[in-house]
Amino acid sequence: MKIATHELRCTDCGARIAGSTVNSIFRCPTCNGLYDVIYPWSALPNGDTPASDSKLPNASALRWLWQERRTSSLAVDQSGVWRFRDLLPIVDDLDHVVTLREGNTPLYDLPRAAASIGVDWVLAKHQGMNPTGSFKDAGMTAAISVARERGFEWVACASTGNTSAAMAAYAARAGMHSIVFIPEGKIAWGKLSQSMDYGAMTIQLRTDFDGCVRVLTELVNRFPIMLLNSVNPYRLEGQKTPAFELVEQLEWQVPEHIIVPGGNLANGSALAKGFSEMHHLGLIPRIPRVSIIQAEGANPLYRTITENGGKELIPVKANTRATAIRIGNPASWRKALRALRTTGGWCEQVSEQEIALAKAEIGAEGIGCEPASAVTLAGLKKLVAQGKIGREERVVLILTGHTLKDSAYTIDYHRGELFTEDETAHLSAADQALHSGLRKPPIVLDPDTDTVFRALESQMKLVHA
Ligand code: F0G
């Protein structure tokens, strides 16, 4: 079945090209800018609607259609990305779609976190509940489908782990070959194991993520490989769909705030694009603020905004235990800045201790997430403390990865082995108490009933103290 068409528009100089003519590095040949995918109905850069024959899709018809598809047994309808395909017509033939039934992720409330922060409600949209355990699946189904339609046999990415896991899985489903470049020793084992399991050629480079990107960018110029990093704008078309799903789950109510982690800085802008398009089409009455949180040790956007007002990127040598966002020279920083400005969101940074505490709190709500995702809750605490988010405002945290992605981090935390003594020495007594209330190290005992009984007794006293 044939569906509609699209173009790519350079986010810097505004040049427009046909999607099929884009170069292998997905950058504008004139100004090196990144592209957005645009459609005949997309808003012009000034927010206006194009005059020509570009009739806007009808909002209530879309809502009805998306709801109807929930009952269908077709794979493209069961996908939480392609169910919204009317707003991402990037493949001509739906038979080319490669799907693992991604999306359809739960929206949970976090009542204990809300109470301890002093806000009425905090929700978590858990993108870690995707087929490969991270938000990347929503983007990968989109980009791999385009790669397949364009006849690519090879795909590649540089990754801190989740992109590579997702790419390897979708490439395998499509019968394509995939090449993964990851920084040696700096990604979580769960993610590394996935790319091997899904059959990718996995190359560990003795460098960081930014070094992997450098090598890969040169390679895609020499071989017919489709680049699947988030500079590939088709990824972001998939990654905008959780915005649709989220407001649908809220019965078309719009929360005041969306909070995302920031690494290579594409996801915040993808969600902002989703919200802006819904607003433009009359599906929602306003756009929520999209805020981006970085780890203190990997904070190029935070520094860029606070030190030069967003004029030029200040790259950093990144270091954080939240390895997914250990990125110092993010490709999509301008897009992220645009998302903050158009939605009125903020950029914050959070410390390693704040990340660990927030992760344990999300775990203690029976939900769990990987360390990079927990920056959202840590960032929310700061934004509330600064008075930027009020008690009655509704906040949705985007949890980007599943807790099992990085079990080593979790085990180290609960055993009290995540931080050095120096690192914990400066913690306030109140913070130390919070950490020790959450830590649940395994208790090793002899197999003797009295011993076990005594241990249980003392644990129960602690719980009820
Ligand atoms: N959270 C998780 C779990 C991630 O894996 C990433 C990025 C991010 C947040 C940040 O998203 O880059 O769009 O700002 N991971 C990439 C990867 C870089 O290779 O898996 P971003």
Side-chain angles (χ1 to χ4, degrees), residues 157-225:
C157 70
S159 178
T160 55
N162 281 325
T163 300
S164 46
M167 182 189 74
Y170 283 85
R173 295 299 298 173
M176 292 176 184
H177 307 285
S178 64
I179 315 169
V180 158
F181 290 94
I182 47 173
E184 196 202 8
K186 290 166 201 143
I187 77 163
W189 291 116
K191 304 174 189 179
L192 177 60
S193 72
Q194 284 180 290
S195 76
M196 296 190 289
D197 205 28
Y198 303 137
M201 184 191 297
T202 304
I203 301 176
Q204 294 183 277
L205 294 183
R206 289 187 205 93
T207 176
D208 54 11
F209 171 81
D210 303 300
C212 291
V213 170
R214 222 171 22 248
V215 172
L216 177 59
T217 309
E218 284 167 25
L219 276 182
V220 294
N221 276 327
R222 295 202 213 161
F223 295 105
I225 306 174

Side-chain angles (χ1 to χ4, degrees), residues 134-136 158-164 191 209 230 239 261-268 324-325 327 370 372-373 400-401:
S134 88
F135 74 109
K136 305 287 185 179
S159 178
T160 55
N162 281 325
T163 300
S164 46
K191 304 174 189 179
F209 171 81
S230 52
Q239 284 178 219
N264 213 19
L265 295 176
N267 197 39
I325 50 172
I327 295 174
E370 69 162 287
S373 311
T400 45

Side-chain angles (χ1 to χ4, degrees), residues 265-317:
L265 295 176
N267 197 39
S269 71
L271 293 170
K273 186 173 192 278
F275 287 113
S276 301
E277 288 180 352
M278 277 191 287
H279 183 241
H280 179 63
L281 297 178
L283 281 154
I284 52 174
R286 58 179 176 78
I287 297 172
R289 291 183 198 271
V290 176
S291 293
I292 300 177
I293 314 296
Q294 297 202 295
E296 266 177 19
N299 61 353
L301 183 66
Y302 178 81
R303 284 195 56 189
T304 299
I305 292 171
T306 51
E307 292 175 31
N308 69 27
K311 281 201 196 73
E312 274 316 314
L313 180 71
I314 303 179
V316 303
K317 184 97 192 109

Side-chain angles (χ1 to χ4, degrees), residues 350-371:
V350 292
S351 72
E352 294 293 295
Q353 308 278 348
E354 289 167 334
I355 297 171
L357 185 62
K359 177 171 143 48
E361 287 169 326
I362 294 167
E365 301 243 22
I367 289 172
C369 64
E370 69 162 287

Side-chain angles (χ1 to χ4, degrees), residues 13-200:
C13 73
R16 290 159 69 144
I17 59 166
S20 56
T21 62
V22 69
N23 59 22
S24 53
I25 55 170
F26 291 102
R27 288 203 179 255
C28 173
T30 316
C31 71
N32 208 35
L34 296 177
Y35 288 107
D36 276 333
V37 179
I38 55 162
Y39 306 104
W41 46 263
S42 294
L44 297 169
N46 63 5
D48 287 352
T49 305
S52 60
D53 54 351
S54 55
K55 263 184 38 199
L56 292 185
N58 178 281
S60 35
L62 284 177
R63 280 188 200 162
W64 181 86
L65 191 59
W66 295 345
Q67 190 61 38
E68 273 298 295
R69 287 180 185 151
R70 282 183 172 281
T71 56
S72 158
S73 57
L74 282 179
V76 281
D77 289 341
Q78 289 182 352
S79 160
V81 170
W82 296 103
R83 193 161 64 83
F84 302 103
R85 57 188 173 271
D86 316 272
L87 298 193
L88 55 144
I90 51 177
V91 290
D92 287 332
D93 186 344
L94 283 181
D95 289 343
H96 291 137
V97 164
V98 184
T99 174
L100 285 164
R101 318 297 190 274
E102 53 289 318
N104 302 307
T105 58
L107 186 63
Y108 298 120
D109 62 338
L110 299 178
R112 285 170 236 165
S116 80
I117 297 170
V119 293
D120 290 344
W121 51 289
V122 177
L123 296 175
K125 173 93 176 130
H126 208 325
Q127 293 299 96
M129 300 298 185
N130 266 295
T132 78
S134 88
F135 74 109
K136 305 287 185 179
D137 293 345
M140 213 44 85
T141 183
I144 288 270
S145 300
V146 171
R148 181 201 236 179
E149 187 165 85
R150 293 192 185 165
F152 281 90
E153 289 175 13
W154 289 82
V155 290
C157 70
S159 178
T160 55
N162 281 325
T163 300
S164 46
M167 182 189 74
Y170 283 85
R173 295 299 298 173
M176 292 176 184
H177 307 285
S178 64
I179 315 169
V180 158
F181 290 94
I182 47 173
E184 196 202 8
K186 290 166 201 143
I187 77 163
W189 291 116
K191 304 174 189 179
L192 177 60
S193 72
Q194 284 180 290
S195 76
M196 296 190 289
D197 205 28
Y198 303 137

